[in-house]
């Protein structure tokens, strides 16, 4: 089990990896006490059948630079293969300001190939690599050195088995003509906006039961302060104050330290110092927000006139398409898309790209009364109405 601790060693491996069609990648990190993930280990593997073509990279090693890895990540001739890549990509985007490309996410590919919703790596190892995983080191402290042999074996398994999984899924996508489906999905993962949280937009993540613009103005300012504070000090946003406390503060609107001290849900550390000052300033800004600058709640869905019978038919059609194509239903169309279609809206993801080929076209024809659905045994089939007389 090779562990690279020098820039020279990493550069040598990356140079060799650049001669291959793909490289598998995984990371181990900690995030419980920080806003940004702390990268503790990087696992890499080139094509091959043994562990000699796989390495561990120790980003905590003194003097090691990840520049050779980032050069490999920018090499368009080498596919970078991850499983459930989002958090890994966020780490590299925050550190280096770019996203590895071209990219292949085996979790997305597995959903396209009929393995179900959000399929886990362990299941793919069993199904495709025909072996099991030792998960005993899953929740260990990856920042502690030296790493144990058990930790190293666990970490390497996340990229060595990934080679066979990738090759199997890529071949299946090519055989079924669905490679471009996965390419479309990679577009979301490779968009920088996916990994950037602007403090002024942080309020959109807070769930509230009130849609009053005045109330939301205070929520916006409190969330903005919390996000900026957490980013500047690299602490989890919930360590500043939790969503429940934020909503309570927006409701009670304390204006003085004494009033703030009466909050039921605010942690004691947040009732004094910079956090308390920030909370009171945010509430003041929200209370005094001009009406024209207040958040405008999205009431589009509240006004939807959903045809419930049509929505039910669309769900039946989606189930039929899911079974026909062997693709996870949530990947094709979430429930919100079906309700939107049944209400006459057409700006939904189910009508774009490969989703339109699989489901969208027939969904539109169903809405227009051009097709009907019939049950034949356990199967649901589409019938052209012109031929159904």
């Amino acid at each position: 089990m090779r562990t690279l601790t020098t820039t020279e060693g990493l550069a040598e491996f990356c140079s060799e990896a650049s001669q291959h069609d793909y490289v598998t990648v995984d990371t181990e990190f900690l995030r419980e006490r920080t806003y940004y993930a702390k990268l503790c280990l990087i696992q890499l593997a080139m094509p091959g059948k043994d562990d000699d073509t796989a390495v561990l990279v120790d980003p905590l090693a003194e003097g090691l630079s990840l520049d050779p890895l980032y050069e490999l990540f920018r090499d368009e001739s080498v596919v970078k293969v991850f499983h459930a890549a989002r958090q890994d990509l966020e780490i590299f985007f925050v550190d280096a300001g770019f996203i590895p490309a071209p990219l292949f996410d085996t979790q997305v590919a597995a959903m396209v190939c009929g393995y179900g919703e959000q399929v886990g790596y362990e299941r793919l190892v069993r199904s495709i690599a025909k072996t099991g995983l030792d998960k005993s080191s899953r929740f260990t402290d990856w920042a502690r050195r030296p790493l144990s042999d058990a930790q190293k074996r666990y970490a390497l398994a996340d990229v060595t088995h990934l080679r066979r999984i990738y090759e199997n899924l890529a071949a299946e996508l090519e055989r079924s003509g669905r490679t471009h489906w996965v390419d479309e999905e990679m577009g979301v993962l490779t968009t920088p906006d996916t990994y950037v949280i602007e403090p002024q937009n942080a309020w959109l993540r807070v769930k509230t039961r009130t849609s009053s613009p005045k109330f939301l103005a205070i929520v916006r300012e409190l969330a903005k302060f919390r996000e900026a504070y957490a980013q500047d000090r690299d602490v989890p946003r919930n360590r500043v104050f939790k969503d429940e406390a934020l909503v309570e503060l927006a409701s009670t609107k304390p204006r003085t330290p004494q009033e703030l001290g009466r909050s039921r849900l605010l942690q004691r550390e947040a009732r004094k110092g910079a956090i308390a000052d920030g909370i009171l300033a945010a509430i003041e800004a929200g209370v005094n927000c001009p009406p024209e600058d207040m958040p405008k709640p999205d009431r589009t869905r509240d006004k939807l006139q959903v045809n419930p019978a049509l929505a039910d038919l669309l769900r039946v059609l989606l189930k039929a398409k899911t079974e026909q194509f062997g693709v996870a239903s949530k990947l094709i169309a979430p429930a919100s898309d079906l309700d939107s279609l049944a209400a006459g809206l057409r700006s939904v993801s189910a009508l774009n790209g490969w989703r339109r080929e699989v489901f969208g076209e027939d969904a539109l024809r169903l809405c227009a009364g051009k097709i009907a659905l019939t049950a034949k045994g356990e199967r649901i089939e589409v019938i052209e109405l012109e031929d159904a007389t």
Side-chain angles (χ1 to χ4, degrees):
M1 294 181 285
R2 284 193 295 162
T3 301
L4 304 181
T5 58
T6 67
T7 306
E8 293 74 18
L10 177 59
E12 182 180 348
F13 176 86
C14 290
S15 176
E16 185 178 355
S18 69
Q19 306 305 309
H20 294 274
D21 294 333
Y22 72 86
V23 61
T24 56
V25 190
D26 192 35
T27 68
E28 305 298 339
F29 56 87
L30 298 177
R31 200 170 193 168
E32 290 80 7
R33 299 180 181 178
T34 57
Y35 183 92
Y36 299 104
K38 179 181 179 181
L39 182 60
C40 299
L41 193 67
I42 305 168
Q43 303 98 282
L44 303 167
M46 296 179 285
K49 296 183 178 180
D50 52 46
D51 289 348
D52 291 340
T53 53
V55 296
L56 304 175
V57 181
D58 187 355
L60 304 183
E62 185 176 355
L64 183 141
S65 169
L66 294 180
D67 286 348
L69 177 63
Y70 293 150
E71 183 178 349
L72 177 64
F73 280 175
R74 290 187 175 95
D75 188 338
E76 294 283 340
S77 69
V78 182
V79 177
K80 272 61 73 172
V81 181
F82 293 79
H83 180 82
R86 194 187 187 290
Q87 291 190 83
D88 302 311
L89 298 178
E90 181 183 358
I91 291 172
F92 295 126
F93 179 77
V94 169
D95 186 58
F98 76 98
I99 298 166
L103 179 70
F104 188 98
D105 189 322
T106 55
Q107 185 177 69
V108 175
M111 292 173 71
V112 169
C113 290
Y115 284 85
E117 312 281 353
Q118 304 296 320
V119 60
Y121 181 65
E122 187 174 6
R123 181 184 165 195
L124 293 181
V125 170
R126 289 197 308 268
S127 300
I128 297 176
K130 306 300 182 184
T131 187
L133 285 177
D134 177 6
K135 307 297 287 185
S136 60
S137 297
R138 183 176 183 181
F139 297 109
T140 56
D141 183 355
W142 293 101
R144 180 174 296 178
R145 295 295 185 269
L147 295 173
S148 68
D149 286 345
Q151 284 178 302
K152 293 178 180 179
R153 283 193 297 270
Y154 166 87
L156 277 176
D158 281 345
V159 288
T160 52
H161 297 312
L162 192 56
R163 297 177 295 200
R164 184 170 176 184
I165 292 170
Y166 164 67
E167 291 172 1
N168 181 285
L169 292 174
E172 173 60 21
L173 291 169
E174 184 68 25
R175 184 196 65 77
S176 62
R178 298 180 183 180
T179 301
H180 70 286
W181 295 13
V182 174
D183 291 342
E184 285 183 30
E185 298 308 299
M186 293 304 97
V188 176
L189 283 175
T190 55
T191 300
D193 289 347
T194 302
Y195 308 99
V196 176
I197 299 177
E198 298 291 351
Q200 61 266 28
N201 297 326
W203 70 280
L204 296 170
R205 302 163 61 99
V206 180
K207 295 181 179 179
T208 68
R209 295 182 178 179
T210 305
S211 57
S212 161
K214 290 184 178 180
F215 174 80
L216 293 179
I218 302 173
V219 169
R220 180 180 64 189
E221 295 302 322
L222 285 167
K224 177 182 176 181
F225 160 70
R226 181 180 66 173
E227 204 72 23
Y229 185 96
Q231 290 178 353
D232 289 344
R233 290 162 177 79
D234 195 19
V235 297
R237 65 176 66 88
N238 282 344
R239 290 277 293 273
V240 185
F241 50 86
K242 298 187 178 190
D243 282 2
E244 305 86 68
L246 188 154
V247 173
E248 179 198 39
L249 293 168
S251 300
T252 58
K253 300 184 284 293
R255 310 295 287 278
T256 66
Q258 293 74 25
E259 292 176 353
L260 186 64
R262 291 195 283 271
S263 169
R264 291 187 308 110
L265 300 177
L266 195 64
Q267 297 170 339
R268 181 166 46 186
E269 296 80 3
R271 302 181 187 209
K272 58 186 178 181
I275 297 179
D277 292 343
I279 289 173
L280 293 175
I283 292 172
E284 189 71 21
V287 168
N288 295 321
C289 180
E292 62 271 18
D293 294 335
M294 291 180 180
K296 306 297 188 294
D298 184 3
R299 301 186 183 278
T300 303
R301 298 204 60 80
D302 296 339
K303 298 177 181 179
L304 285 182
Q305 299 295 316
V306 178
N307 180 330
L310 181 55
D312 287 342
L313 284 174
L314 287 167
R315 284 171 170 77
V316 174
L317 176 64
L318 177 60
K319 185 175 186 300
K321 295 297 185 180
T322 297
E323 293 175 353
Q324 176 185 350
F325 289 95
V327 181
S329 61
K330 288 183 180 178
L331 188 63
I332 299 174
S336 58
D337 275 14
L338 303 182
D339 288 341
S340 295
L341 286 168
L345 299 184
R346 297 296 179 259
S347 56
V348 297
S349 59
L351 298 182
N352 298 321
W354 68 267
R355 291 174 173 84
R356 189 179 184 104
E357 301 173 32
V358 171
F359 172 75
E361 286 291 350
D362 277 346
L364 289 174
R365 295 202 297 153
L366 183 64
C367 292
K370 295 181 178 180
I371 61 173
L373 303 177
T374 184
K376 287 194 176 181
E378 296 182 353
R379 298 198 321 273
I380 299 296
E381 295 186 358
V382 172
I383 295 179
E384 301 288 344
L385 284 183
E386 294 82 357
D387 301 329
T389 57

